[in-house]
Amino acid sequence: MAARRARKLKATNEATDPSSRVVRFGPDRPLSLDSGKILSPFQIAYETYGALNPARSNAILICHALTGDQYVASRNPITGKPGWWESLVGPGKVIDTDRFFVICSNVIGGCLGSTGPASLNPETGRAYGLDLPIITIGDMVRAQTMLVDELGIDRLFSVIGGSMGGMQVLEWAASYPERVFTALPIAAGARHSAQNIAFHEVGRQAVMADPEWCGGRYIEEGRRPEKGLAVARMAAHITYLSEAALHRKFGRNLQDRETLTFGFDADFQIESYLRHQGMTFVDRFDANSYLYMTRAMDYFDLAADRGGRLADAFRKTETRFCLVSFTSDWLFPTAESRAVVRALNAAGASVSFVEIETDRGHDAFLLEEPEFFAAVGGFLDSAARARGLENAS
C-alpha cells in the first residue's frame, strides 16, 4: 500500500513538474486548437536520445500510443519500468540512437508533464479538469511542430508511431509533408471505426460513472475514480490482444486454486490478469486524460478533414512511407492500413507495406517481433542512404 501511495503522489507531481525535459510556451506563443479555442500558456514534456548531427538531418520523432509517454527508451519515473519501446530504440538497435537523434514527447492532453486536464489552469489556479478544451490528433501534432522548431529542426528524418501514435504520423505527413522525409505509421488507420469509438465510450462511461470522479473535479476533492478507470483499462486491454493469444496464454486455467469457488472472485487466470492490468494502470494515469485521449482518437478522420477523399490528404507528397499491420490485430485490422496504402498510391506517393504474421494482436507492435524489426530496420536503412546520412549500413 505504501508503494502504491508513493506512485500516486509521484504521478500527481509528474503532471505539472515532470522529471523529463520540458519546454514552456508563454502567452506570446499560444497553441491554436481545432475546436477554435486557444491553449496558452502550455508546456510540452519530452525526452531525447542520441545526438543531433551538424546538418540536423538525423532526427526521428516517435509518437506514443494512447497510454504511452515520452519515456520511449528510458526508465519511467512513476513505475520504474524500462522504456515502453526499449526493444526497438537504443544504441545499436533498430532505431539506433548511435545514429539517430530520437525525440519523444508526451502529447498535449496527456498526464506526464505536457499540458493536460491534471495541469493547473492559470485562470483559476486549480487543475483544468474538464475545463481543458477538447484536444485532437491535429492539436497534438501542431504542438509537436512547435517543439521541433524549438529544437532547431526544420525537417525530420522520420516520424514513427503505433496506434494513436500512427494517427499522429499520418497527420504529420498530411499537414507537414515538407517537414517529414519518411513516415512509419504502424497498426493504425486514417480514421477511428465505429467499433473502436464504441469501446472507448464504454471506457469513458465507466470512468464517469465512478462516484469518485466528482464531475471531473476529483483532484481538488482529494479523490480518485480508480474503480471506473480500472474497468476502462480492462475493457480496452482486451482489444489489444487476440483470441488466439488469450487462449495460448490463459485458456480456461484457474488462478491459484484447484476448483471453482462458485462466487465472484477471480477464478480464472484471465480475470486475475485483467484486474492486475486495471489496478496498475490507475497508479500511473490520470482519469480525465483517458477521456481526452480516447476522444482525440475518436475524432480523427484524415479524409473528412480534407474534403472526404483520403488521397487528397497526400497530394504531391514527397514523403516516403512504410506502413505495417499485424494479421491478428482486430482493433486496427490490415484493411485499415491497405486503405491508406491505396490512397497513397492514388496520390503517387512512395509507399511500401508489410503485414506481419503473428497471433499477438494489436499489442504486437510493442513486442519483440523479428519480422517487424527487420521491416522497420530495412526501411530506415534504405531511407538513410537516400538521405545521405553517415553510418548508413
Side-chain angles (χ1 to χ4, degrees):
M1 289 299 293
R4 284 202 65 198
R5 283 195 297 270
R7 286 195 297 271
K8 292 174 187 177
L9 179 60
K10 185 68 173 173
T12 300
N13 294 337
E14 289 289 333
T16 54
D17 189 18
S19 300
S20 65
R21 303 180 186 191
V22 62
V23 174
R24 294 177 172 87
F25 296 93
D28 58 326
R29 292 190 288 177
L31 178 64
S32 298
L33 304 176
D34 285 338
S35 65
K37 297 184 179 181
I38 298 293
L39 188 62
S40 179
F42 74 99
Q43 67 184 44
I44 300 177
Y46 70 101
E47 286 280 82
T48 66
Y49 310 86
L52 190 62
N53 65 11
R56 297 180 178 272
S57 60
N58 69 331
I60 292 178
L61 177 68
I62 293 181
C63 304
H64 70 72
L66 171 62
T67 64
D69 50 52
Q70 64 269 39
Y71 299 101
V72 62
S74 52
R75 193 165 298 278
N76 186 291
I78 298 173
T79 65
K81 293 182 178 180
W84 53 268
W85 229 2
E86 278 199 355
S87 60
L88 196 73
V89 181
K93 297 183 180 179
V94 175
I95 301 176
D96 187 354
T97 52
D98 288 335
R99 178 183 183 190
F100 300 113
F101 177 62
V102 174
I103 311 158
C104 187
S105 67
N106 186 218
V107 296
I108 293 295
C111 56
L112 227 62
S114 293
T115 298
S119 304
L120 290 181
N121 182 344
E123 294 183 2
T124 65
R126 63 185 189 180
Y128 271 106
L130 299 193
D131 289 339
L132 184 76
I134 290 295
I135 303 297
T136 67
I137 299 296
D139 296 333
M140 296 174 187
V141 168
R142 203 171 297 114
Q144 289 164 357
T145 66
M146 296 174 69
L147 170 62
V148 171
D149 287 343
E150 187 75 10
L151 295 175
I153 299 166
D154 294 326
R155 193 182 192 195
L156 293 161
F157 170 70
S158 193
V159 184
I160 304 172
S163 194
M164 188 183 84
M167 291 178 168
Q168 294 167 64
V169 174
L170 291 170
E171 183 66 43
W172 260 99
S175 297
Y176 305 97
E178 74 286 352
R179 303 196 66 173
V180 181
F181 184 66
T182 66
L184 261 159
I186 302 160
R191 65 177 183 176
H192 226 203
S193 69
Q195 176 178 260
N196 290 350
I197 294 170
F199 274 108
H200 277 174
E201 177 62 3
V202 169
R204 287 190 293 266
Q205 288 300 319
V207 171
M208 293 187 286
D210 189 324
E212 300 292 306
W213 184 62
C214 302
R217 290 288 172 200
Y218 51 86
I219 292 178
E220 61 197 72
E221 295 289 338
R223 301 162 76 177
R224 291 171 62 91
E226 293 184 350
K227 292 181 179 178
L229 183 58
V231 170
R233 175 63 170 177
M234 290 167 68
H237 198 74
I238 296 169
T239 71
Y240 305 151
L241 307 173
S242 70
E243 194 280 333
L246 285 172
H247 179 75
R248 170 171 47 80
K249 191 170 183 178
F250 303 108
R252 289 179 53 85
N253 296 330
L254 299 181
Q255 178 69 29
D256 299 327
R257 63 201 65 193
E258 297 296 327
T259 61
L260 299 173
T261 64
F262 293 94
F264 295 104
D265 288 336
D267 277 0
F268 296 98
Q269 287 181 5
I270 182 59
E271 294 175 313
S272 180
Y273 171 77
L274 289 175
R275 292 184 188 190
H276 173 75
Q277 289 293 323
M279 291 314 298
T280 56
F281 180 64
V282 302
D283 290 343
R284 69 174 179 86
F285 210 83
D286 176 63
N288 282 338
S289 273
Y290 193 82
L291 303 184
Y292 276 80
M293 296 295 92
T294 55
R295 204 50 162 167
M297 292 183 73
D298 292 349
Y299 278 8
F300 185 65
D301 189 336
L302 206 58
D305 291 343
R306 292 165 177 83
R309 187 169 183 266
L310 186 55
D312 287 348
F314 307 110
R315 181 178 294 176
K316 297 182 180 178
T317 184
E318 294 184 3
T319 300
R320 299 175 176 221
F321 291 82
C322 177
L323 282 83
V324 181
S325 71
F326 300 91
T327 54
S328 55
D329 183 354
W330 57 275
L331 191 64
F332 286 97
T334 293
E336 299 284 339
S337 293
R338 289 192 187 279
V340 177
V341 170
R342 286 195 297 270
L344 287 165
N345 285 330
S350 171
V351 56
S352 57
F353 168 66
V354 59
E355 181 183 33
I356 307 299
E357 181 75 34
T358 178
D359 73 349
R360 299 167 96 173
H362 182 65
D363 263 0
F365 80 94
L366 296 170
L367 306 173
E368 293 198 26
E369 289 283 349
E371 188 181 350
F372 168 51
F373 285 12
V376 172
F379 176 74
L380 292 178
D381 281 346
S382 175
R385 287 193 293 271
R387 185 73 167 138
L389 292 182
E390 295 180 2
N391 301 322
S393 57

